[in-house]
Amino acid sequence: MPSQHPEEIGYGHVVESYVTRRYGGLPRYLVLNGGRFLGPRWWHTTRFTRHVIADAAAINDEELEALLGYEWRSRLTAGWLIGVDRRERFRARIGDLLLASEVCYSGGAYCFALARFGTHADAEILTTYLDRYLPRTDLHYDQPAALGALLRLDALLGTRHADRFTEPDGLWDEWVKGVGRLGYPSYTPAEQRRRTDLHCEFANGWTRQ
């Protein structure tokens, strides 16, 4: 999927409007990626979340497509806005982007959106991703975010898709060992589920639902 600057398709405003707007000296994409908004001591949380709610509702589909067609900062931000507003019509698009794993960081935002949608179709996308990328013990991509999202969906839907990944000495354990040899820290499924829950429950508050 080739990258295209939004300016080339008449949407040059979207990066400044939605991606790089600053809060406490930090651009929005960096705050979203780092989770600073979850910290109770960050002074800008109220203004940040109010703006995210407003932008998630106001951005149109063409603007979202312009962001999804660009680089990781734009794709990450688009994924969050799609998830906050629960725009399920983007399910297939972000599913394709997640499976392609072309750029860094944005995959976590796609997993957040799928967790927010909360359907069996979203669980299938996450399962397909884990089937493809957990055997790749040489790659540290978005496996933790995908597992966390799938565990949340299993709990919501009453399914057990994640069981075969998390069984002792299964694909998850083997992946953790593999990336551990590359210097990455270990992860537990419970930690990943908790991280997804924090994002989604906070977003539930943002959208006043």
Side-chain angles (χ1 to χ4, degrees), residues 8 25 33 49 73 88-89 129-130 152 160 164 166 189:
E8 298 177 30
N33 192 50
T49 54
R73 299 166 187 83
E88 293 188 41
R89 55 190 171 275
Y129 176 86
L130 290 168
R152 179 177 174 84
R160 305 182 68 91
R164 63 186 177 86
T166 59

Side-chain angles (χ1 to χ4, degrees), residues 99 114 119-131 150 153 157 161:
L99 292 172
L114 294 171
T119 73
H120 292 283
D122 306 298
E124 290 177 8
I125 293 171
L126 293 163
T127 299
T128 300
Y129 176 86
L130 290 168
D131 275 329
L150 184 59
L153 290 182
L157 299 170
H161 296 293

Side-chain angles (χ1 to χ4, degrees), residues 3 12 44 48 51 60 80 91 98 110-111 131 149 167 175-176:
S3 174
H44 307 279
F48 177 82
H51 289 172
N60 62 46
W80 273 92
R91 175 182 289 111
L98 176 64
Y110 307 148
C111 293
D131 275 329
E167 63 185 5
W175 179 79
V176 168

Side-chain angles (χ1 to χ4, degrees), residues 15-51:
V15 173
E16 183 175 355
S17 296
Y18 299 112
V19 181
T20 59
R21 187 171 188 173
R22 303 184 80 81
Y23 302 86
L26 298 173
R28 174 182 283 171
Y29 72 84
L30 201 58
V31 177
L32 289 170
N33 192 50
R36 185 179 292 259
F37 55 87
L38 293 171
R41 297 183 181 179
W42 193 50
W43 292 357
H44 307 279
T45 293
T46 299
R47 184 170 70 95
F48 177 82
T49 54
R50 185 171 66 246
H51 289 172

Side-chain angles (χ1 to χ4, degrees), residues 59-86:
I59 190 170
N60 62 46
D61 287 358
E62 291 76 20
E63 290 172 320
L64 283 169
E65 281 291 355
L67 291 176
L68 289 173
Y70 193 32
E71 42 76 90
W72 70 268
R73 299 166 187 83
S74 297
R75 295 184 185 189
L76 180 152
T77 305
W80 273 92
L81 295 175
I82 288 167
V84 169
D85 203 50
R86 285 198 173 105

Side-chain angles (χ1 to χ4, degrees), residues 55-204:
D55 286 348
I59 190 170
N60 62 46
D61 287 358
E62 291 76 20
E63 290 172 320
L64 283 169
E65 281 291 355
L67 291 176
L68 289 173
Y70 193 32
E71 42 76 90
W72 70 268
R73 299 166 187 83
S74 297
R75 295 184 185 189
L76 180 152
T77 305
W80 273 92
L81 295 175
I82 288 167
V84 169
D85 203 50
R86 285 198 173 105
R87 297 202 192 184
E88 293 188 41
R89 55 190 171 275
F90 279 92
R91 175 182 289 111
R93 179 78 164 107
I94 64 175
D96 288 344
L97 289 169
L98 176 64
L99 292 172
S101 290
E102 296 173 319
V103 297
C104 59
Y105 302 119
S106 58
Y110 307 148
C111 293
F112 162 75
L114 294 171
R116 286 275 292 164
F117 296 162
T119 73
H120 292 283
D122 306 298
E124 290 177 8
I125 293 171
L126 293 163
T127 299
T128 300
Y129 176 86
L130 290 168
D131 275 329
R132 180 178 301 182
Y133 286 102
L134 277 183
R136 293 297 307 273
T137 57
D138 59 324
L139 298 179
H140 185 277
Y141 282 3
D142 299 292
Q143 293 93 333
L147 182 66
L150 184 59
L151 286 166
R152 179 177 174 84
L153 290 182
D154 274 346
L156 292 173
L157 299 170
T159 52
R160 305 182 68 91
H161 296 293
D163 283 3
R164 63 186 177 86
F165 300 121
T166 59
E167 63 185 5
D169 298 319
L171 282 173
W172 179 256
D173 285 347
E174 290 303 312
W175 179 79
V176 168
K177 291 176 186 176
V179 297
R181 288 191 286 269
L182 300 176
Y184 291 99
S186 62
Y187 305 92
T188 68
E191 289 170 339
Q192 299 313 313
R193 163 74 191 278
R194 178 178 177 274
R195 182 175 176 82
T196 302
D197 285 345
L198 283 172
H199 287 154
C200 289
E201 294 305 324
F202 200 60
N204 287 342

